[in-house]
Amino acid sequence: MTSLELHNVSHRFGAAEVLREVSLQVSRGEVHCLLGPSGSGKSTLLRLVAGLETLQQGRIDIDSTEVAGAHHHLPPEQRRVGFVFQDYALFPHLDVRRNVLFGMPPGPSHQRNQAVIDLLERVEMVRFAGAMPHTLSGGEQQRVALARALARRPQVMLLDEPFSGLDRSLRRAVRSNTLAVLKEAGVATLMVTHDPREARLVADRLSVLHGGEILQSGPPLDLYHRPSSLPVAELFGPINRVSGIVKGRSVEVPWGVVDARDETEGAAVVVLLRPEWIWLDDADGFRAEPAAEIAGITADGPLVRVTVRCADGTLLSLADVPRHAWTVGQSVVVRTIDDPPVIRSDSDRP
């Protein structure tokens, strides 16, 4: 069941267009990540969903009910939306119990007090109920902020870079706990991050936002293995680019031929290869195959980073386990995955 729907949402700050025709859906219990560079419109989109900004164009529905549209703006306190900011924004003069209580709807005192205890138990913070925020670690503050947001019984949870302030050793545990709580509660979660590795780890669905537009949406592995454009591909780390022209539903590359059946004849295309999608054979046993030459080798922990120069001068970078004692100048044969992504050259820019 879809809990959050955005339909053709556009927004401006003065003359600057921040969002352009953004549409997406988030289902109950789903984590949908917005990934993109700073200034791409991610936080603005969250603020529009929360009602902290007035929608200028498009429509936002929560649980099939319009909360923002051309002639309608439901106030934030009526939207049943929880919001966890990057800095957690706890009230410094209230202890943990009263911070959580603040976000709770009106009701009998005994019921509200028991609900606070239940929420703090859910985030493993009940023993800190009387603590002041400044005495807590970053991870503990984050869990209190989550409990306070859950106190509103939200249908939608908005997370704005919620784990970026934590050190690496703590981040994984806090993130795992937070998202498990949200999934268990059946809350639709829209999370902003600029970390592609984090997005790949936690997202059920991922949308790449670039220049105010969604370039591609889908399961994280789909975006990693089948990017629709170079900006999407480059978000997930280094990638090799090899240009070519489609001829007979394929494109010739220095190491052979790549299938390009989805592109039109004569189109200028780019073949994309991640470093781990390439491997090498010693050329001595494959004399009939196109040979390349090792141009550089760099140790990188358990891997070696190898740069290969193909016969036409094309350089490829690959990651390899040190199975062979490769040497600079050695002749090799390049192998790749069977079906690397092929994109139009004009899709390099969004």
Side-chain angles (χ1 to χ4, degrees):
M1 179 179 177
T2 301
S3 287
L4 174 65
E5 293 181 85
L6 278 67
H7 304 274
N8 302 316
V9 168
S10 297
H11 199 75
R12 289 179 175 272
F13 290 124
E17 189 174 37
V18 181
L19 295 169
R20 185 182 309 116
E21 299 289 326
V22 171
S23 296
L24 59 82
Q25 297 181 340
V26 189
S27 299
R28 286 177 53 88
E30 180 183 58
V31 176
H32 191 131
C33 279
L34 289 174
L35 176 65
S38 296
S40 59
K42 304 185 300 298
S43 293
T44 298
L45 195 61
L46 293 195
R47 291 177 62 82
L48 288 168
V49 174
L52 302 176
E53 297 280 349
T54 301
L55 185 65
Q56 297 170 352
Q57 183 178 323
R59 193 177 85 246
I60 298 173
D61 295 346
I62 294 177
D63 199 21
S64 301
T65 300
E66 183 181 292
V67 298
H71 306 289
H72 181 56
H73 177 83
L74 196 68
E77 63 273 13
Q78 297 180 28
R79 293 195 182 194
R80 292 192 65 184
V81 171
F83 206 140
V84 178
F85 296 91
Q86 183 176 352
D87 60 1
Y88 316 133
L90 298 178
F91 297 113
H93 62 291
L94 300 180
D95 63 18
V96 166
R97 187 188 69 83
R98 287 184 294 166
N99 259 283
V100 177
L101 195 62
F102 184 88
M104 195 166 289
S109 294
H110 70 282
Q111 291 182 3
R112 297 174 83 231
N113 289 330
Q114 183 58 51
V116 169
I117 298 302
D118 292 343
L119 284 168
L120 290 176
E121 285 180 342
R122 180 178 284 185
V123 298
E124 300 177 3
M125 287 295 293
V126 69
R127 65 192 179 97
F128 296 96
M132 300 303 289
H134 72 273
T135 68
L136 304 177
S137 69
E140 290 163 350
Q141 290 185 45
Q142 196 272 352
R143 283 184 275 169
V144 175
L146 175 63
R148 187 178 64 182
L150 286 171
R152 300 186 63 183
R153 300 173 188 164
Q155 295 165 310
V156 175
M157 183 68 75
L158 307 176
L159 305 178
D160 192 0
E161 300 274 9
F163 313 112
S164 61
L166 305 177
D167 62 63
R168 185 171 297 181
S169 61
L170 184 61
R171 187 180 309 162
R172 180 178 298 178
V174 173
R175 182 177 63 208
S176 177
N177 176 270
T178 297
L179 298 179
V181 168
L182 291 170
K183 283 179 172 288
E184 180 188 341
V187 178
T189 301
L190 185 60
M191 173 177 156
V192 158
T193 181
H194 67 276
D195 183 345
R197 185 173 182 276
E198 179 173 72
R200 287 176 60 196
L201 284 171
V202 307
D204 298 305
R205 190 168 180 83
L206 176 60
S207 292
V208 173
L209 199 60
H210 192 290
E213 292 184 279
I214 291 183
L215 300 187
Q216 190 174 355
S217 289
L221 284 178
D222 285 2
L223 273 66
Y224 184 79
H225 289 284
R226 311 304 302 180
S228 62
S229 65
L230 192 60
V232 173
E234 289 182 332
L235 271 176
F236 296 99
I239 196 158
N240 296 281
R241 306 166 57 185
V242 181
S243 299
I245 302 294
V246 177
K247 296 179 181 178
R249 305 183 72 182
S250 63
V251 55
E252 188 174 341
V253 290
W255 60 91
V257 174
V258 170
D259 184 10
R261 61 184 177 274
D262 295 330
E263 299 295 339
T264 56
E265 185 74 11
V269 295
V270 179
V271 179
L272 302 178
L273 282 168
R274 299 201 182 278
E276 67 270 25
W277 296 349
I278 308 171
W279 59 97
L280 305 174
D281 284 321
D282 193 318
D284 287 346
F286 301 90
R287 301 217 177 260
E289 304 221 21
E293 179 181 280
I294 292 180
I297 302 173
T298 305
D300 185 12
L303 300 175
V304 289
R305 303 289 174 179
V306 182
T307 302
V308 176
R309 182 180 292 107
C310 299
D312 68 346
T314 299
L315 293 176
L316 299 175
S317 176
L318 64 112
D320 195 10
V321 293
R323 298 167 300 168
H324 303 282
W326 300 120
T327 59
V328 174
Q330 182 178 352
S331 291
V332 293
V333 171
V334 174
R335 307 291 190 191
T336 74
I337 60 172
D338 291 337
D339 190 23
V342 177
I343 63 171
R344 288 289 188 100
S345 293
D346 58 8
S347 70
D348 287 6
R349 295 177 298 276

